[in-house]
Amino acid sequence: MTNRAHSLRRAAAALGAAIAAVGGLTACGSSSGPSLSLTAALPDRVPSGTVLRMGDPSAQIAIQAAGLDKQLAAEGVEIQWANISGGPDSIKAFRGNQLDCSSVADIPSLFAHWTGTSTQIVFQSVTVDPLAHPIYKLGIAPGDDIKTLSDLKGKKVAYSAGQAQGALVLRLLQKAGLTKNDVTLVDLPSTASTYNQALGSHAVDVAPLGASTIVTYLKQYPGSSAIDTGIRDDASTLYCLTSSVQDAGKAAALRDYVAARTKALLWENAHPDQWAQLYYEQNQGLSAADAQHAVQVKGQIGIPANWTNADTRLQATADLLAEDQGNAKFDVSTIVDTRFAQVEAAAAGSDVVTGDAS
């Protein structure tokens, strides 16, 4: 079987294993206006009855906390929120026409393209000082003596082909001078506590864990540990079905949503204590102390003045995955809608970041 077949089979398995909370969503919001070219100017008026089906749970909390939901309503934007994020769940919902947009890292857009689901990135943010505030650390199984990336040789590593964690694993192997043949990749979708449990049971030796997850994991499994990756992993996007972006009504609503989302993320920066309580305590179930730690670990969200640097990193990641997994190389500009970059930067105003931070 070819590498490409292996890759697509892993992606399909991840999609099949996804537990998407789409039961309460309908396709009723699938059309709000006439067709709009991807090169046309974004409309500035939202038609009555326009609905966005949005899988953006973290931003939902920030938007509501900052009162921006009222602004969106006043602009005629109706949002049907879904508790969906991440690649497998969102692509499954896209394929069933149950969702317009979802928050993800960068990898799901690539796998959507390779598996025949047409999407467009309409929002990109970064982390200011990303190496000091990584999204992921490597969780180490209890008792395993893994101190550096070179120690990964011969180990079982959790791997999810269609998610950001999967690409991170490949980049880690590349940095350590290793190949997939030097480790055992264990196909596991990174959903809920799957990686924590796999580490705790020694089904894997190593797994990428998020900032809030790592705190829970280290407390839950005595003898466990974690190490830094030393790799920039801060890509954060909102991607949407191309058909939704081509709907003039939804495109107008998305213009307003991107502006509101930008302001909501900057609100998070300005209200760390409130965000710790609202998101990490009330939504993620962390203690007050662990919530404060998670906020500090996360660092400041950066709104880039333009997407040039982010797109360059996305292209490099796409090329790595194509080479490693046998997928077709392609120009990632075809899945990035830069019209929204201008909307995002304008909403951020003087708070945009440039240079290495972008």
Side-chain angles (χ1 to χ4, degrees):
M1 184 176 288
T2 66
N3 285 340
R4 176 173 170 76
H6 278 300
S7 173
L8 295 180
R9 186 178 70 178
R10 284 195 295 268
L15 292 174
I19 306 174
V22 299
L25 297 174
T26 69
C28 65
S30 59
S31 180
S32 299
S35 179
L36 181 75
S37 167
L38 292 177
T39 59
L42 293 170
D44 56 9
R45 187 183 68 83
V46 181
S48 176
T50 301
V51 178
L52 290 178
R53 302 163 300 172
M54 195 66 63
D56 201 7
S58 174
Q60 176 188 356
I61 295 171
I63 286 170
Q64 292 171 343
L68 293 163
D69 54 332
K70 299 179 179 62
Q71 176 182 314
L72 286 170
E75 293 166 340
V77 181
E78 180 182 346
I79 301 177
Q80 189 176 56
W81 296 106
N83 189 26
I84 294 172
S85 62
D89 285 3
S90 60
I91 294 177
K92 181 179 179 181
F94 285 158
R95 288 181 172 177
N97 192 24
Q98 300 289 328
L99 197 66
D100 291 310
C101 307
S102 184
S103 55
V104 291
D106 51 355
I107 308 308
S109 295
L110 304 177
F111 270 81
H113 172 84
W114 282 320
T115 55
T117 301
S118 182
T119 64
Q120 292 288 308
I121 291 173
V122 302
F123 190 100
Q124 300 201 60
S125 61
V126 297
T127 300
V128 178
D129 198 1
L131 292 181
H133 300 280
I135 304 297
Y136 298 103
K137 287 193 172 186
L138 285 186
I140 310 300
D144 275 13
D145 187 23
I146 298 174
K147 305 296 184 184
T148 67
L149 296 184
S150 61
D151 294 333
L152 297 178
K153 187 172 184 178
K155 302 298 184 181
K156 296 175 292 185
V157 182
Y159 181 69
S160 48
Q163 296 181 272
Q165 295 91 328
L168 178 63
V169 166
L170 296 181
R171 293 172 66 199
L172 288 170
L173 294 177
Q174 185 183 57
K175 181 176 180 179
L178 302 174
T179 71
K180 291 190 297 183
N181 294 328
D182 293 314
V183 299
T184 300
L185 296 180
V186 180
D187 287 330
L188 288 173
S190 177
T191 55
S193 58
T194 303
Y195 277 10
N196 288 30
Q197 294 171 358
L199 286 166
S201 65
H202 288 273
V204 297
D205 300 303
V206 180
L209 299 180
S212 59
T213 306
I214 197 76
V215 175
T216 303
Y217 169 68
L218 294 175
K219 287 188 174 183
Q220 187 176 4
Y221 296 100
S224 61
S225 60
I227 62 173
D228 290 331
T229 66
I231 290 178
R232 184 169 186 172
D233 61 2
D234 60 320
S236 181
T237 79
L238 185 76
Y239 75 148
C240 307
L241 276 172
T242 299
S243 59
S244 297
V245 182
Q246 289 176 321
D247 181 300
K250 288 184 182 292
L254 275 171
R255 177 177 181 160
D256 290 340
Y257 184 79
V258 164
R261 192 179 198 268
T262 300
K263 295 174 182 177
L265 297 188
L266 294 174
W267 179 91
E268 286 181 36
N269 287 346
H271 300 82
D273 293 340
Q274 193 171 346
W275 184 243
Q277 183 179 51
L278 287 173
Y279 183 69
Y280 288 108
E281 288 187 55
Q282 297 179 12
N283 186 268
Q284 298 294 297
L286 298 185
S287 68
D290 288 346
Q292 288 291 337
H293 176 72
V295 167
Q296 293 170 8
V297 167
K298 181 172 77 76
Q300 294 277 299
I301 299 167
I303 304 298
N306 60 67
W307 294 353
T308 302
N309 291 344
D311 291 349
T312 297
R313 291 191 295 271
L314 180 63
Q315 186 67 64
T317 300
D319 292 344
L320 171 64
L321 291 175
E323 180 178 352
D324 189 85
Q325 299 174 347
N327 295 311
K329 289 190 175 183
F330 74 103
D331 183 349
V332 299
S333 68
T334 60
I335 61 169
V336 178
D337 193 332
T338 55
R339 294 175 298 177
F340 291 95
Q342 302 166 23
V343 176
E344 186 179 329
S350 61
D351 289 326
V352 295
V353 297
T354 58
D356 292 341
S358 63

